Amino acid sequence: MNKIFWAGDSTVQTNDYSTYPQTGIGQAFPMFLKEGYSVENHAKNGRSTKSFIDEGRLKAIEEKIGEGDFLFIQFGHNDEKNQDPTRYTEPFSSFIDNLEIFIDVARTKGAHPVLITPLERRCFMDEKRLGIGAHSDYVSAMKQTAEKNRVPLVDLYTMSRAALKKTGEPGSRRWYMYFDAGEYPQHPEESRDNTHLRYDGAVNFGAMIAKGLQEIGGIYGDMILTV
C-alpha cells in the first residue's frame, strides 16, 4: 500500500474529541483516495517548517517513509510569525532552505514530495471583500522552491481565496471554527476563529487538493477518486 505522509500545521492535523469540531484537511483526505493508498498524518497544531524539524517530527517521517510513498508538505501559517523565533522563517531564505530539507528527505528515501501552498484565512474586510492576508511571500517562495527543485505543487492558496471570494463572509463561516455559543457542547462560548477548520471546510479544501493532484496527473492523479 502506498502511503501519503503529511507534514503541516493545524489546518492539516488529525483532531480528536477534545478539539471537536475542529477537523484538519489531512484527517478528511482519505475519502478522496482510491484503494491502495493511506494517509499517515504527522501535521501538528502551531508548527512551522522550523519547529517541525527542530522537534524531530521530520525525522519521525524519515524513519518510516519509503520508496513509492508521498510526502505532502504544507506550511506557511506559522513560518510567518516573526514575533516567535522558535517558528519564524524568512520567506525567501530559511523557509526555502527548510522546504528543501523536506524534499531531500523524501527523495533520499525514494518517495515523491509534493508542495502545497497554505490555506487562506477568512480575512474579510466586509461581507464580500477579502483582504490581502499574510501568506503571499510564503506562497511565492514555495512556488520558487517547486520550480527550482522540479517538485509538483498544488496551489491551495489561490483556490481557497477564489472560493472565499465567491462564497463571501457569511457563507464561508461554516468552513471555519466560527460559530455561536452553545452550538457545540465542547465550546460553550462563541468562536470567531478564522483559521482552523470544521468538517465542511476540511472536505471542501481537501477536494481542492485532490483536484490539484488530478491536474498534475501521472502518479499524483492516479491516487485520486474522480472529483
Side-chain angles (χ1 to χ4, degrees):
M1 178 176 286
N2 294 102
K3 288 186 177 181
I4 297 164
F5 290 80
W6 212 312
D9 53 36
S10 56
T11 62
V12 181
Q13 76 170 2
T14 295
N15 294 267
D16 59 24
Y17 179 79
S18 66
T19 53
Y20 182 83
Q22 185 175 330
T23 309
I25 296 171
Q27 183 176 351
F29 199 71
M31 70 173 60
F32 299 103
L33 297 173
K34 293 178 181 175
E35 289 187 15
Y37 295 88
S38 64
V39 172
E40 185 163 322
N41 193 0
H42 289 252
K44 192 68 175 174
N45 182 63
R47 272 50 179 193
S48 67
T49 57
K50 181 182 185 328
S51 61
F52 198 93
I53 293 169
D54 289 347
E55 293 174 5
R57 297 179 184 277
L58 180 58
K59 184 65 176 177
I61 293 175
E62 185 177 13
E63 291 171 354
K64 293 182 176 182
I65 199 167
E67 187 170 354
D69 290 336
F70 297 83
L71 178 56
F72 287 5
I73 306 156
Q74 184 175 356
F75 287 99
H77 278 85
N78 298 300
D79 285 83
E80 66 196 25
K81 294 184 176 179
N82 58 12
Q83 75 280 7
D84 185 352
T86 67
R87 294 188 285 181
Y88 178 66
T89 61
E90 292 282 352
F92 297 105
S93 57
S94 51
F95 181 61
I96 290 177
D97 293 341
N98 289 345
L99 291 175
E100 290 180 338
I101 292 172
F102 282 84
I103 292 166
D104 288 344
V105 163
R107 286 179 166 166
T108 298
K109 292 288 188 172
H112 309 286
V114 178
L115 293 175
I116 303 172
T117 57
L119 171 71
E120 181 59 288
R121 294 185 176 93
R122 241 178 47 89
C123 51
F124 283 95
M125 296 184 292
D126 54 36
E127 286 198 358
K128 277 293 183 182
R129 292 186 301 157
L130 193 65
I132 296 173
H135 297 332
S136 56
D137 282 347
Y138 291 87
V139 172
S140 296
M142 189 174 278
K143 289 179 178 180
Q144 287 183 23
T145 306
E147 184 176 0
K148 174 186 173 184
N149 293 276
R150 297 184 179 181
V151 174
L153 178 139
V154 176
D155 192 0
L156 178 61
Y157 171 78
T158 298
M159 289 187 284
S160 61
R161 281 188 64 85
L164 286 164
K165 288 177 180 178
K166 181 178 180 181
T167 304
E169 192 280 323
S172 64
R173 293 178 183 181
R174 70 183 188 275
W175 296 337
Y176 293 77
M177 291 282 285
Y178 191 108
F179 46 78
D180 295 328
E183 190 172 343
Y184 297 99
Q186 295 89 337
H187 294 274
E189 300 178 354
E190 70 177 12
S191 173
R192 296 295 181 258
D193 183 338
N194 295 310
T195 298
H196 301 104
L197 303 175
R198 287 191 273 179
Y199 180 78
D200 283 359
V203 172
N204 181 48
F205 298 122
M208 294 178 191
I209 294 174
K211 180 181 178 183
L213 291 167
Q214 284 187 322
E215 290 173 351
I216 292 168
I219 59 173
Y220 308 97
D222 287 345
M223 72 174 75
I224 302 298
L225 294 166
T226 301
V227 178

